[in-house]
Amino acid sequence: MAIYLKIFNVGTVLSYQYQSLQRYHLKRIILCHSPLKNLLFNSNYSTIQLKNGRMSFHSSCIYHKRRKSPEEKKVTKIIQYAPKSKGPVIGVWQGITLLELAKVLEEDIDHIKELFSNVYHNPNIQINDMKQLQNALRRGGKRMKFIAKPSNEAHEYKDEIKVLKPRPPPAKEDLKPRPPVVTIMGHVDHGKTTLLDALRHSSVVDQEFGGITQHIGAFLVTLNSGAKITFLDTPGHAAFTAMRARGANLTDIVVLVVAADDGVMDQTVESIKMARNARVPILIAINKIDSPKADIERTQRMLLEVGIQVECLGGDVQAVPISALKKQNLNQLTEALVLQADLLEIGGDPTGPVEAVIIESNTHSGRGNVTTLVVQRGTLKKGDILVAGTAMAKVKSIKDADGRILDQVLPGYSAEIDGWKELPAAGDVVLEAKSEKEAKIVIKFREDALEQKKLEEDLKVIKQKQEMHDKEYKQYLKEKRLSGRFKMRRQGPRQKEIAEDDGSPSINVIVKADVVGTLEAILETLDTYESDLCPLDIVNYGVGPLTQTDIELAKAFNCVVYAFNIPMPHSLKSIVMEDGIDVREHNVIYKLIEDFKKEVNTRLPKIEIEEILGEAEVLQQFEISKGRKLLPVAGCRCVTGLLKRDALFRVIREKNIVYEGPLASMRHLKSEVDVIKADTECGLQLVDQDITFVKGDKISCFEKKMINQETDWDPGF
């Protein structure tokens, strides 16, 4: 049995803690032992334990704690911690010197000495006391972390590779024969793709939508003589200006296709300018000589007007009349191409790192990001590490235009490769890196450069706006000071901080295309659209099939989704139907632009117009009596058109409008009529009875109608 007794202050017993006391019917405990009694009375809080007839005593400092008052218990307990340092983290290492620390912090050496309270004076002394180093960095508002000491060779290597550039031009003895790169250019529907099909014995034109090329195609054609030529087929549509420019800059020879029945057109002139800017020789192919409207001499004269003097007119530009559809004179054209290539002494260096140019980029459902490129230098192989812009690739597979797998690609040849981490832009220069680490360093450097360029452009805009604001504020401050005691008040009502939707029309679109070049052409065309009546907002764009994210964005922003030459995924068809997403599929660019214009026209508000029905001339005024009042009536003759009783009328006197409104009465002879035709006399009474008429007044009959507006945007085709 154990008995516990708790005593508070001066021996006053306030409570008992006991075990099994009821079993022994212990009612009272009397402490009579004098030493123990004195001990208890001198304790603030003590415990007595009786066990087996023996007493033991225990006391603790916790029993001396003062109780809280009710007011103190109501106060919320707040624990305050020391604020955490949020300074930038600096990488340091064991044995770092003052000079090295100054380079890491990008500070002066005197400032570093002040951080150490001028304990160190030698800049090359090593700091081994990490606690001292930490305290010094804290004084400078920095935090530290331990890293491995960087080597100078690594820094020099990093600085050397982060700017990946093409090699200097090769020596003439290092050049090997390669196929010439020939670009076929010209106006839309002049037979460029048909000519290419005739040369490579294919039917690419049958696979095109609307009869126009909408991608840059790269093909290797082996002629009957055994010579090989890499052809680039560029679109002739006005929207694909950038694609034609890339083809002109990449090529060795430009074949300008001009239809003999149409002659020189807009895109023909544009192609000539691009070829001249790229300083590329031009060869003219006068196509469609089998057409009944063909006129070769007229076409040659039209070329002369734009600065192309062919050989038959005393110039140095070869012109070959052909028929791509009937395959006439194709041998003469290929012989002229081979001769031109021999004169240029075209060659390539197959050694060293790869240098190429991207022709087209797209996303393949099974292969991922795929690009078509033309190798200009080096030999492309599987496993090469390539960098284009800010995209990197480790080449997984190489295929030609017909889908055959290739082991390598030499200069002058085109190929399709996959393995890109991100989709590069068409026209980017492709360079080979030694390793993935080197490629990542190059990409990081280029991304930082682009970010820095963007920041500089944003800073210019900010400065311009700041200057405009300062100018307006100084003018306002000047007027305020000149007003003296009459302070300037706010003009007009206070504007709301959160702008509300006023219900004005607008259009939001999402554009997805099959390849980068086509997407670029669509975006450039839409970029020319400007309208305050119905503003355009391109919410998202990209290459590849529609995704769940595109559908969610379209639902959130009420977008029209334009899917160009890409199929709708089966998994999204039900979602599109349920949510009512407006997805419009197109495969011809001008039809997509026409659809966009129609959508804008449907969103524009209707406008009110006046339609003139007829005109009349007042011959004289006569009066009729109505009760005791005489009412003026205009005796008129309808000059043109007709007059309708329920239409509106305007009385014009000496170019001034006297009245505009409805009629009260229209009579012919004594009968009330609804219509008065031309060369018929009538009497007109206005609703406003105070208006009088003068001989020679003009009266116009018109109706007001609400019609749909049409946008005045002209995309250029």
Side-chain angles (χ1 to χ4, degrees):
M1 181 184 69
I3 301 175
Y4 295 89
L5 203 69
K6 289 187 178 179
I7 303 174
F8 293 85
N9 295 330
V10 198
T12 303
V13 180
L14 298 180
S15 63
Y16 296 87
Q17 291 183 354
Y18 55 93
Q19 295 179 358
S20 305
L21 289 181
Q22 298 296 331
R23 182 182 303 176
Y24 297 96
H25 306 283
L26 183 60
K27 301 297 185 183
R28 184 169 55 180
I29 299 174
I30 301 174
L31 299 176
C32 57
H33 195 274
S34 179
L36 180 59
K37 184 176 181 179
N38 295 333
L39 179 61
L40 291 176
F41 285 176
N42 293 329
S43 302
N44 290 331
Y45 188 95
S46 303
T47 301
I48 297 175
Q49 181 179 3
L50 301 179
K51 188 175 183 181
N52 298 328
R54 302 182 63 181
M55 295 184 181
S56 61
F57 173 78
H58 172 71
S59 179
S60 174
C61 62
I62 196 63
Y63 301 143
H64 299 267
K65 186 177 180 182
R66 184 179 67 85
R67 290 176 176 270
K68 288 184 178 180
S69 63
E71 291 76 10
E72 291 175 337
K73 291 181 180 179
K74 294 179 181 179
V75 178
T76 306
K77 190 175 182 180
I78 301 176
I79 302 176
Q80 295 183 352
Y81 298 97
K84 212 172 186 179
S85 176
K86 294 185 179 180
V89 179
I90 304 300
V92 297
W93 54 90
Q94 187 75 26
I96 188 172
T97 64
L98 290 181
L99 188 60
E100 292 172 341
L101 186 60
K103 291 181 180 179
V104 172
L105 295 178
E106 297 180 356
E107 296 286 352
D108 188 69
I109 189 66
D110 294 331
H111 176 72
I112 302 301
K113 291 179 180 180
E114 291 178 1
L115 294 180
F116 286 92
S117 302
N118 293 319
V119 175
Y120 301 106
H121 299 284
N122 186 4
N124 297 319
I125 190 172
Q126 293 184 349
I127 305 169
N128 295 315
D129 189 351
M130 292 295 104
K131 189 65 177 178
Q132 189 181 27
L133 177 60
Q134 184 180 14
N135 293 333
L137 291 176
R138 280 181 179 176
R139 295 188 191 100
K142 307 289 191 304
R143 292 180 292 165
M144 73 174 191
K145 68 174 181 179
F146 287 103
I147 61 172
K149 183 178 180 180
S151 61
N152 295 331
E153 296 179 358
H155 277 291
E156 294 174 359
Y157 171 74
K158 186 175 180 179
D159 293 337
E160 180 182 353
I161 68 170
K162 66 183 181 182
V163 183
L164 192 61
K165 297 185 297 186
R167 291 175 288 164
K172 191 172 183 180
E173 57 269 14
D174 296 334
L175 297 179
K176 304 294 182 183
R178 67 168 177 85
V181 179
V182 178
T183 300
I184 300 180
M185 305 179 71
H187 192 74
V188 63
D189 198 28
H190 275 200
K192 299 182 296 298
T193 307
T194 305
L195 171 60
L196 190 58
D197 285 342
L199 293 173
R200 66 193 297 256
H201 308 290
S202 63
S203 57
V204 177
V205 71
D206 296 337
Q207 304 172 12
E208 296 176 343
F209 299 99
I212 64 173
T213 302
Q214 301 177 122
H215 311 96
I216 290 185
F219 311 96
L220 180 68
V221 176
T222 303
L223 305 179
N224 296 330
S225 61
K228 295 182 178 181
I229 301 176
T230 298
F231 281 98
L232 302 181
D233 184 17
T234 62
H237 199 273
F240 299 95
T241 303
M243 301 173 85
R244 288 192 295 275
R246 285 195 294 271
N249 294 329
L250 176 64
T251 188
D252 299 317
I253 304 171
V254 168
V255 174
L256 185 64
V257 179
V258 185
D261 51 358
D262 285 344
V264 176
M265 305 295 285
D266 295 338
Q267 274 69 58
T268 309
V269 177
E270 182 187 305
S271 300
I272 294 173
K273 292 180 180 178
M274 291 178 180
R276 285 177 172 173
N277 292 335
R279 298 181 180 179
V280 179
I282 300 175
L283 193 150
I284 305 297
I286 302 177
N287 194 21
K288 298 185 179 181
I289 60 175
D290 57 324
S291 174
K293 299 180 180 180
D295 190 343
I296 299 177
E297 295 181 356
R298 182 180 70 93
T299 303
Q300 292 174 347
R301 291 194 300 270
M302 294 178 70
L303 288 169
L304 183 61
E305 293 175 359
V306 295
I308 299 295
Q309 189 174 8
V310 297
E311 290 179 341
C312 62
L313 297 180
D316 56 354
V317 179
Q318 296 185 70
V320 181
I322 63 170
S323 172
L325 187 63
K326 300 293 182 63
K327 298 183 179 180
Q328 297 179 7
N329 300 336
L330 295 185
N331 290 333
Q332 298 180 17
L333 179 63
T334 55
E335 289 174 0
L337 281 174
V338 173
L339 177 61
Q340 185 70 45
D342 292 340
L343 293 175
L344 295 175
E345 297 181 353
I346 296 174
D349 180 14
T351 62
V354 175
E355 297 178 14
V357 176
I358 292 181
I359 300 299
E360 196 58 273
S361 303
N362 67 323
T363 301
H364 194 274
S365 58
R367 300 171 60 189
N369 296 327
V370 180
T371 61
T372 301
L373 52 79
V374 173
V375 177
Q376 295 180 313
R377 195 172 182 183
T379 302
L380 178 64
K381 299 178 181 178
K382 183 178 178 181
D384 288 346
I385 307 298
L386 305 179
V387 176
T390 57
M392 180 186 73
K394 184 175 182 180
V395 181
K396 293 182 179 179
S397 64
I398 307 174
K399 295 183 179 181
D400 61 5
D402 298 324
R404 293 187 293 266
I405 297 178
L406 304 176
D407 295 330
Q408 62 181 13
V409 183
L410 296 172
Y413 291 86
S414 64
E416 279 189 357
I417 65 170
D418 53 11
W420 293 93
K421 307 294 182 182
E422 295 180 0
L423 196 65
D428 283 351
V429 176
V430 181
L431 300 174
E432 183 181 357
K434 297 179 181 178
S435 62
E436 292 190 25
K437 181 179 180 181
E438 178 180 338
K440 291 178 180 179
I441 294 174
V442 173
I443 292 173
K444 181 66 169 62
F445 176 75
R446 293 181 177 181
E447 289 176 345
D448 293 343
L450 292 175
E451 185 67 23
Q452 183 64 29
K453 183 179 179 181
K454 184 176 181 300
L455 289 175
E456 292 176 356
E457 294 175 354
D458 293 343
L459 186 60
K460 290 181 181 178
V461 176
I462 291 172
K463 287 184 177 179
Q464 292 177 357
K465 292 185 177 181
Q466 184 67 34
E467 290 175 357
M468 293 177 59
H469 175 268
D470 292 344
K471 184 178 179 180
E472 294 176 358
Y473 178 73
K474 288 179 180 179
Q475 181 66 24
Y476 169 78
L477 197 61
K478 181 179 179 182
E479 295 176 359
K480 184 177 180 180
R481 289 172 177 171
L482 291 175
S483 63
R485 64 187 184 90
F486 301 101
K487 300 297 181 183
M488 295 183 64
R489 297 180 178 179
R490 183 186 299 274
Q491 298 179 355
R494 182 176 179 179
Q495 296 181 354
K496 296 182 179 180
E497 295 182 1
I498 301 177
E500 298 180 356
D501 187 9
D502 56 356
S504 58
S506 63
I507 180 170
N508 301 332
V509 300
I510 294 176
V511 183
K512 297 299 288 288
D514 54 344
V515 295
V516 172
T518 306
L519 176 65
E520 179 186 19
I522 296 173
L523 294 179
E524 286 184 354
T525 305
L526 294 179
D527 191 51
T528 62
Y529 173 81
E530 292 183 0
S531 175
D532 296 332
L533 296 176
C534 184
L536 167 65
D537 186 10
I538 301 177
V539 176
N540 191 26
Y541 59 87
V543 175
L546 293 175
T547 62
Q548 181 72 29
T549 303
D550 297 326
I551 301 303
E552 292 176 356
L553 286 174
K555 183 179 179 181
F557 293 94
N558 191 21
C559 298
V560 178
V561 181
Y562 288 104
F564 189 85
N565 205 17
I566 54 175
M568 169 73 73
H570 294 285
S571 59
L572 297 180
K573 287 184 178 180
S574 59
I575 301 176
V576 170
M577 293 293 293
E578 292 175 1
D579 296 340
I581 307 299
D582 190 0
V583 179
R584 305 184 184 183
E585 298 178 314
H586 293 279
N587 46 35
V588 180
I589 188 170
Y590 62 78
K591 291 185 178 180
L592 185 148
I593 300 302
E594 288 178 359
D595 184 277
F596 173 76
K597 291 181 65 175
K598 291 180 181 178
E599 181 63 27
V600 171
N601 293 336
T602 58
R603 294 173 182 251
L604 292 177
K606 294 185 177 182
I607 57 174
E608 186 180 67
I609 63 168
E610 293 182 0
E611 182 181 0
I612 304 297
L613 301 179
E615 292 183 351
E617 182 180 357
V618 177
L619 302 178
Q620 68 175 6
Q621 174 183 303
F622 58 91
E623 297 176 343
I624 60 174
S625 60
K626 187 175 182 181
R628 296 182 179 181
K629 191 174 183 180
L630 296 177
L631 303 179
V633 175
C636 308
R637 177 184 290 114
C638 182
V639 180
T640 59
L642 54 87
L643 308 180
K644 294 178 66 175
R645 167 70 176 77
D646 55 351
L648 298 176
F649 288 80
R650 182 182 294 119
V651 179
I652 303 174
R653 183 178 300 157
E654 296 180 356
K655 299 182 180 180
N656 296 323
I657 298 176
V658 178
Y659 172 80
E660 183 174 319
L663 288 181
S665 175
M666 176 189 286
R667 293 192 178 188
H668 177 62
L669 300 178
K670 294 184 179 181
S671 302
E672 190 77 22
V673 294
D674 294 330
V675 177
I676 296 294
K677 296 182 179 180
D679 298 329
T680 305
E681 295 183 353
C682 63
L684 303 179
Q685 182 183 355
L686 305 179
V687 173
D688 189 352
Q689 301 175 358
D690 297 331
I691 301 297
T692 58
F693 301 95
V694 178
K695 183 180 180 180
D697 287 351
K698 303 295 182 182
I699 298 179
S700 297
C701 177
F702 64 93
E703 289 182 341
K704 292 184 178 181
K705 293 183 178 181
M706 300 296 294
I707 63 171
N708 296 324
Q709 291 191 73
E710 291 187 1
T711 177
D712 57 352
W713 173 54
D714 183 14
F717 51 85

